[in-house]
Amino acid sequence: MTEKKKEKVCVCHAHGSLRAICFHSEVKGPLITLCDWGRRVTRDGSSYCHGLTFSWRQVKIQEKVRLRVEHCVRGWHGGLRVGFTHVLPEQTSLPPLAIPDLTHSPLFAAVVVPVGICRPGSEIQFWLKKNGCLRIRSSDGRTHTEQTFLNAKWPVWAMMDVYGQTTSVMMLGSKKRRCIFTMRSCPALTHIKHTEDKEIQQIERKKEQMTMLEQRNLRTPYLVNTDHETPDCEECAVCYSDVANVRLSCGHKCVCTPCGMRVYMTFGTCPLCRQTLGSFKPYD
């Protein structure tokens, strides 16, 4: 990292700015391509779907993600979908559509951006409120709010489905209102080489993922994650692919962290004993 970049990063954080935000470079639909240092995504117009994208970092509650529609095509119905998810992008299988392929799970939430505010040049911002509502607002002031099952105390990532007529979207940044000022995301450093940016992002994201796992362990009221212990050599009873590293409130350590969240929010019972999962109490 150059001295110039170090200086800019320090100044940025000194003024209480949010971290720079861009699209995830690795987790994206098969028809999605990235450019402009991860700030612009474009879907191949030969199909209306396979345009899922995510933010590369976690988004704060009430942090408004700002987008601009760059290009649209005729011949398809509908347009951009935006929302949030509790699941790490790397742990998300990518179906053709966000709605309903992902939103059937309470760990994902998305809304359809009305076609009238999804034209080329239209600017849109969306955020998750403290009460779990997902709100979008257009540049002309029109808003739409939808209740979700998302928990505002859990980590969330922004999710965007470049769908239908919408084929290209630019990430403009983000902002979050504080008591007496507004925090804004750091500007993208476009004069730095893309390879250097990618290396820095990978390092930062590894640190962030560790932090998110720790926060999830602390904030989840009905699960006890036992990553700090020697993990059992047993597979998750739900997905049969990951190690069962989470103990439910009934005492069974039988699911991985993502499946534990899905089991509680979807069924509310242990997959082994069918006991109702109650509030968390320290488990010895």
Side-chain angles (χ1 to χ4, degrees):
M1 184 186 296
T2 64
E3 293 298 327
K4 184 177 181 180
K5 185 165 186 179
K6 286 182 180 179
E7 181 181 354
K8 179 168 283 193
V9 170
C10 292
V11 170
C12 180
H13 286 288
H15 286 79
S17 297
L18 298 166
R19 296 175 61 192
I21 186 170
C22 61
F23 294 102
H24 201 296
S25 62
E26 298 176 0
V27 184
K28 53 187 175 62
L31 297 184
I32 285 289
T33 56
L34 274 70
C35 61
D36 291 340
W37 288 269
R39 293 181 300 148
R40 185 196 304 265
V41 290
T42 301
R43 190 196 80 244
D44 186 339
S46 61
S47 175
Y48 64 90
C49 57
H50 292 293
L52 274 168
T53 62
F54 298 86
S55 61
W56 78 274
R57 67 162 173 85
Q58 180 197 357
V59 176
K60 299 178 181 293
I61 299 302
Q62 300 203 146
E63 177 182 353
K64 299 176 180 179
V65 180
R66 301 170 53 241
L67 304 174
R68 183 175 65 230
V69 178
E70 296 289 286
H71 189 260
C72 295
V73 296
R74 296 181 179 181
W76 304 117
H77 294 286
L80 181 68
R81 282 96 161 96
V82 296
F84 295 96
T85 176
H86 288 312
V87 182
L88 281 166
E90 292 86 349
Q91 296 179 348
T92 303
S93 58
L94 296 179
L97 305 170
I99 302 174
D101 295 343
L102 290 179
T103 54
H104 74 276
S105 166
L107 298 178
F108 297 84
V111 297
V112 177
V113 178
V115 175
I117 60 173
C118 203
R119 305 295 186 188
S122 300
E123 294 187 6
I124 303 160
Q125 54 186 356
F126 65 101
W127 65 98
L128 188 66
K129 297 172 64 66
K130 292 181 179 180
N131 61 2
C133 289
L134 196 168
R135 174 170 290 181
I136 62 174
R137 176 180 294 160
S138 64
S139 53
D140 61 6
R142 284 182 284 179
T143 62
H144 173 72
T145 304
E146 189 167 313
Q147 183 65 52
T148 74
F149 291 103
L150 299 181
N151 190 330
K153 296 182 179 180
W154 293 354
V156 293
W157 285 260
M159 176 176 65
M160 292 126 300
D161 188 359
V162 185
Y163 171 85
Q165 296 180 6
T166 307
T167 56
S168 183
V169 176
M170 172 72 80
M171 179 77 73
L172 299 179
S174 64
K175 61 182 180 179
K176 178 178 171 65
R177 177 67 179 173
R178 307 296 290 182
C179 295
I180 58 175
F181 66 96
T182 299
M183 300 173 62
R184 299 182 184 275
S185 59
C186 301
L189 304 178
T190 55
H191 63 283
I192 302 298
K193 293 186 301 181
H194 175 60
T195 54
E196 183 179 3
D197 264 353
K198 187 173 181 180
E199 292 176 357
I200 294 171
Q201 288 180 6
Q202 288 176 345
I203 294 173
E204 291 179 344
R205 293 189 66 257
K206 287 181 180 179
K207 294 179 180 178
E208 182 181 63
Q209 287 177 15
M210 294 175 62
T211 303
M212 291 307 101
L213 289 174
E214 293 171 358
Q215 290 182 3
R216 181 180 296 174
N217 296 343
L218 292 173
R219 293 176 178 176
T220 306
Y222 47 85
L223 304 176
V224 181
N225 192 300
T226 55
D227 284 339
H228 61 283
E229 301 174 357
T230 302
D232 290 353
C233 297
E234 298 180 359
E235 292 181 337
C236 170
V238 177
C239 66
Y240 296 102
S241 59
D242 292 334
V243 175
N245 62 350
V246 171
R247 193 181 303 277
L248 302 176
S249 59
C250 63
H252 288 118
K253 191 170 79 170
C254 58
V255 292
C256 62
T257 302
C259 289
M261 297 172 69
R262 293 188 181 95
V263 163
Y264 180 83
M265 297 187 68
T266 306
F267 305 104
T269 59
C270 171
L272 295 184
C273 66
R274 303 303 177 187
Q275 178 178 328
T276 300
L277 301 177
S279 59
F280 166 74
K281 293 182 179 180
Y283 186 93
D284 298 326

